[in-house]
Amino acid sequence: MKLEEEKHVQYILSVEKRSNDLESLVMDHLKLSGAYWGLTTLHLLGRLSSVDQDRIIDWVLKCQHESGGFAGNVGHDPHILHTLSAVQVLALFDRMDVLDVDKLCSCILLYVGSSSDVAGLQNEDGSFSGDMWGEIDTRFSYCSICCLALLHRLDEINIEKAVSYIVSCKNLDGGFGCTPGAESHAGQIFCCVGALAITGCLSYIDKDLLGWWLCERQVKSGGLNGRPEKLPDVCYSWWVLSSLIMIDRVDWIDKNKLSQFILECQDTENGGISDRPDDAVDVYHTYFGIAGLSHLEYPGLKAIDPAYALPVEVVDRIFIGK
């Protein structure tokens, strides 16, 4: 089975144009993240030029809250998840110049504390909250660290405390949870490994132990699950593979079987990729399926960075000016 590249491009473009169907209504509050998933997919397929860049950038900026952070859609509350998506979308187009970086960074830091001192901008234990309501999760540690790194402002947080909190979420099985003592989960592992990679602190990971836990996520079909005894899901082709790449243990899984599993989740008539074969497709799983195939070096796909979740050429442009 081969990747139906053109049909996936047309599927992504059709999703961008729809506004009144069920999928669009359900995703309304996540539209900015949806834009990131769809646009990154197009970039990996070499078709980002298929969209109206100026119109998208104009809409992204309308999602910015007066506080400086970004919401999932116009008129919604800002959150660090969507703030990172906004930065990533603008990075795809090489238009981060439209950002008021000081205002945006102040908002990120405002989310995680009310102190005006740099040392107090995070929660005392080094954790991060996602928004003004104060929920704490290692996803928000990753989003804050990734976002500030892309903006070249990572030194505005207490990195030592941030790393210490992430390490406190490590479990005896080598994995990581959303908070200290929480169950290991492949999605949270990606967030913690990604944050440690960005901060140069992968030495805190027991790579063999974590690599074993991650490679055990591959089931008979070739797909990957997020926790023991769960069904495989295409999205873990990203979460698990990225983590294995960052800890240099990606050869511990059967890449060919995983590639076939992802390809079997395609809608070969209308485009798009689902969580598992014969289920309904969506833009979320289409992105993670294509990104997973990129990690598997599927012919014709651009490479994606496992820590920053952006095409390698975009990351190189941001950090080394290529």
Side-chain angles (χ1 to χ4, degrees):
M1 182 176 287
K2 68 181 182 69
L3 181 64
E4 299 289 347
E5 298 184 26
E6 184 58 34
K7 290 182 180 179
H8 296 319
V9 169
Q10 295 308 314
Y11 168 71
I12 294 294
L13 295 176
S14 72
V15 169
E16 197 238 346
K17 292 180 174 66
R18 296 200 305 260
S19 60
N20 295 317
D21 65 358
L22 180 60
E23 182 178 353
S24 297
L25 293 172
V26 170
M27 290 282 293
D28 187 65
H29 66 298
L30 299 172
K31 194 171 181 180
L32 187 47
S33 291
Y36 156 70
W37 300 325
L39 292 168
T40 306
T41 301
L42 291 176
H43 197 297
L44 295 176
L45 291 167
R47 293 290 297 277
L48 189 60
S49 60
S50 300
V51 299
D52 185 335
Q53 171 181 322
D54 292 336
R55 184 175 64 82
I56 291 173
I57 291 173
D58 181 63
W59 171 76
V60 169
L61 294 177
K62 289 179 181 177
C63 293
Q64 189 168 25
H65 190 264
E66 60 184 9
S67 65
F70 287 79
N73 204 345
V74 178
H76 290 252
D77 291 334
H79 196 285
I80 188 60
L81 294 172
H82 307 305
T83 300
L84 174 58
S85 292
V87 172
Q88 290 170 318
V89 167
L90 295 174
L92 288 171
F93 291 119
D94 194 18
R95 288 304 311 277
M96 291 170 68
D97 60 294
V98 301
L99 285 169
D100 182 334
V101 175
D102 289 336
K103 184 177 181 181
L104 190 154
C105 289
S106 295
C107 185
I108 293 175
L109 299 171
L110 178 62
Y111 289 155
V112 298
S114 58
S115 171
S116 59
D117 299 321
V118 172
L121 293 174
Q122 294 168 270
N123 296 314
E124 185 59 32
D125 61 359
S127 65
F128 288 80
S129 303
D131 58 19
M132 66 182 72
W133 309 112
E135 180 188 7
I136 294 172
D137 191 306
T138 47
R139 290 179 301 156
F140 310 149
S141 294
Y142 168 76
C143 289
S144 299
I145 287 170
C146 184
C147 192
L148 290 170
L150 290 170
L151 297 170
H152 301 286
R153 302 291 282 273
L154 192 54
D155 59 349
E156 296 196 16
I157 60 170
N158 188 318
I159 296 175
E160 184 178 354
K161 278 193 171 185
V163 169
S164 178
Y165 179 77
I166 291 169
V167 172
S168 76
C169 297
K170 184 168 67 172
N171 293 318
L172 293 176
D173 57 17
F176 294 82
C178 59
T179 54
E183 178 185 14
S184 294
H185 185 280
Q188 303 296 152
I189 287 170
F190 162 79
C191 291
C192 293
V193 174
L196 292 175
I198 291 169
T199 55
C201 294
L202 286 175
S203 60
Y204 285 100
I205 295 173
D206 183 331
K207 295 180 181 179
D208 284 343
L209 184 60
L210 178 57
W212 178 254
W213 191 94
L214 289 168
C215 77
E216 284 290 295
R217 305 282 59 78
Q218 190 163 36
V219 301
K220 290 182 180 179
S221 66
L224 300 163
N225 61 25
R227 291 175 290 165
E229 305 302 324
K230 297 295 184 179
L231 293 173
D233 188 317
V234 159
C235 71
Y236 295 111
S237 304
W238 167 261
W239 308 120
V240 173
L241 270 181
S242 294
S243 299
L244 285 170
I245 290 170
M246 286 186 281
I247 64 172
D248 195 26
R249 299 295 185 274
V250 72
D251 290 332
W252 288 14
I253 64 164
D254 188 323
K255 297 179 184 179
N256 290 330
K257 287 185 69 175
L258 176 56
S259 179
Q260 285 305 306
F261 174 79
I262 297 171
L263 293 174
E264 288 169 4
C265 294
Q266 298 179 104
D267 181 334
T268 56
E269 293 184 7
N270 302 305
I273 299 175
S274 59
D275 57 350
R276 55 189 66 92
D278 301 321
D279 282 356
V281 304
D282 58 64
V283 67
Y284 174 87
H285 289 95
T286 301
Y287 161 61
F288 286 116
I290 299 296
L293 289 172
S294 171
H295 276 333
L296 294 167
E297 300 181 335
Y298 190 91
L301 295 180
K302 294 186 178 183
I304 188 167
D305 187 277
Y308 289 100
L310 284 169
V312 168
E313 64 187 72
V314 174
V315 175
D316 285 347
R317 185 173 66 222
I318 291 171
F319 291 108
I320 59 179
K322 280 189 176 180

